[in-house]
Amino acid sequence: MARSPRVPKAAGVEAGPSEPDLLDNQRPPREADALFGHGIEMARLAHALRTAPPQGIIIEGPRGVGKATLAFRMAKALLSGGEIADDFAFDAEGRSAGQVRAGTHPNVLHLTRPYDEKAKRFKTELGVDTVRRILPFLGTTAAGTGWRVVIVDAVDDMNPNAANALLKNLEEPPQRTLFALVAHIAGRVLPTIRSRCRTVRLKPLGTDEVTAALSYLGADPSLADTADGSVRRALSLAASGADAVRTAERLLAKGLTDATSRFALADLAAQKRGEHFAVIADLTLDALARAARTAAASSNAAGEGYARAYLEALGERRRVEIFNLDRKEFMLALGNRLAAAASATRGA
């Protein structure tokens, strides 16, 4: 759900980039000094940067596992100077780290979907005009350590023109330039971009890691058990309220086979805007995805129907949030899809 742009907490400095995907109870990734999990992936990336730095790095994986946080952690480590540690340790009290947190470091360019002041919402795409900011950024003299870092969050949001513009910058970047590209859905990254980058996939976090992250953020650590390895999901659950989540899970556990359950779920999702709707929609989509995986594992032909219903619902959900469409109607249609897919599975 789009929100007004967030400004850095540091006083007396220019506002950093907008953060289109932040929850109300979530810090911008640039402000996070801790990253939980992903030790092996960090060590491999650190070794690559010490020995043969790649043109770019694609950091892909589910939402809420620390992809953007890792991108900013690498930036803080590179710009702090010194040897690159396996965990990208950096001087948290140093000037460079403080500038990265505030979004004001001259050697960091953070590209996201821009905020549309007229429409009072974030744009639906990361366009070519935004990506064109890379060329003048790379043309400036790098300060400090000499590293420049371009963080694109996320490449999923780029339209074709923007992707082609990014590709041109990736072809021959200046020395000591790192492109850190965040990708939520791997299939949306152009093969030509992927071929010029090293790819690292971050897996869902373990329950202990989510618990530690929630404690660090001052959130309820007990939510880790239902977070599916995503800190973002846990924060969404916290914003929605445990009672609503438990009610939705209880309805979904029954399979939504009757109209009464589907209407109850839709009413619940429509009670409040923002993360309340988002979490219940996510829970329902997760139920569809689990059903698709179960059907596919058992070679059930109905699995294809589940998968198709899931992909169609993903597209519709995005339109609902972008254009502020009727949430109850969407949830009713989603519940009907889940019930129809379950019926097809029983008949297969």
Side-chain angles (χ1 to χ4, degrees):
M1 188 79 178
R3 291 174 175 79
S4 299
R6 301 193 177 206
V7 298
K9 297 177 183 177
V13 296
E14 182 183 351
S18 300
E19 300 280 355
D21 294 321
L22 283 184
L23 308 177
D24 286 333
N25 57 350
Q26 180 184 13
R27 299 176 190 172
R30 67 171 183 265
E31 293 184 7
D33 284 344
L35 177 65
F36 296 87
H38 314 306
I40 293 174
E41 292 81 3
M42 281 196 288
R44 288 173 178 167
L45 285 178
H47 176 74
L49 287 169
R50 287 193 298 262
T51 55
Q55 292 168 292
I57 295 171
I58 297 173
I59 308 171
E60 62 186 31
R63 290 183 182 273
V65 298
K67 299 186 299 298
T69 301
L70 173 56
F72 280 102
R73 186 175 181 84
M74 287 192 294
K76 291 171 185 174
L78 293 175
L79 297 170
S80 291
E83 182 74 9
I84 301 172
D86 280 353
D87 63 350
F88 290 106
F90 59 91
D91 180 6
E93 301 300 322
R95 183 167 182 262
S96 289
Q99 288 179 313
V100 174
R101 280 188 217 104
T104 60
H105 199 294
N107 291 8
V108 177
L109 179 64
H110 181 201
L111 302 181
T112 66
R113 286 183 283 120
Y115 189 74
D116 187 334
E117 289 290 351
K118 184 178 291 186
K120 301 301 179 188
R121 68 185 183 206
F122 287 94
K123 292 186 176 180
T124 59
E125 293 181 329
L126 199 165
V128 67
D129 288 342
T130 300
V131 174
R132 282 175 179 156
R133 293 169 53 197
I134 295 174
L135 192 59
F137 169 74
L138 296 182
T140 60
T141 301
T145 63
W147 278 96
R148 295 183 185 88
V149 183
V150 179
I151 298 173
V152 182
D153 185 9
V155 289
D156 312 51
D157 295 331
M158 292 191 301
N159 61 32
N161 288 336
N164 287 326
L166 175 63
L167 178 60
K168 290 179 181 178
N169 285 287
L170 275 169
E171 288 173 348
E172 293 184 15
Q175 291 292 318
R176 295 172 74 81
T177 297
L178 175 67
F179 282 84
L181 313 178
V182 175
H184 304 306
I185 302 176
R188 291 184 180 174
V189 181
L190 285 179
T192 46
I193 290 178
R194 186 176 292 280
S195 68
R196 288 165 172 78
C197 298
R198 181 186 182 98
T199 299
V200 57
R201 178 165 182 80
L202 302 189
K203 298 177 181 178
L205 298 169
T207 301
D208 289 346
E209 292 164 339
V210 177
T211 299
L214 292 175
S215 297
Y216 169 77
L217 294 170
D220 183 358
S222 69
L223 294 169
D225 290 335
T226 56
D228 289 338
S230 167
V231 176
R232 178 185 175 85
R233 182 182 177 89
L235 293 174
S236 296
L237 294 172
S240 297
D243 289 343
V245 171
R246 292 192 188 98
T247 300
E249 289 176 332
R250 195 160 52 245
L251 291 169
L252 288 166
K254 296 177 181 178
L256 300 184
T257 54
D258 62 286
T260 301
S261 294
R262 296 195 290 274
F263 272 97
L265 187 69
D267 283 336
L268 187 65
Q271 283 177 9
K272 294 194 298 184
R273 301 285 179 174
E275 294 312 318
H276 191 84
F277 164 77
V279 167
I280 294 174
D282 281 347
L283 289 171
T284 312
L285 286 166
D286 287 348
L288 258 178
R290 284 195 300 272
R293 288 194 295 269
T294 300
S298 61
S299 301
N300 192 321
E304 186 175 330
Y306 272 118
R308 185 168 53 251
Y310 177 76
L311 292 174
E312 289 173 354
L314 275 182
E316 289 179 14
R317 185 260 180 87
R318 183 172 175 81
R319 287 192 291 274
V320 165
E321 294 198 323
I322 289 172
F323 300 111
N324 199 27
L325 303 179
D326 191 311
R327 284 154 168 73
K328 183 173 181 178
E329 183 178 336
F330 167 78
M331 286 302 303
L332 278 174
L334 183 56
N336 289 338
R337 274 197 173 97
L338 184 59
S343 177
T345 300
R346 289 193 296 271

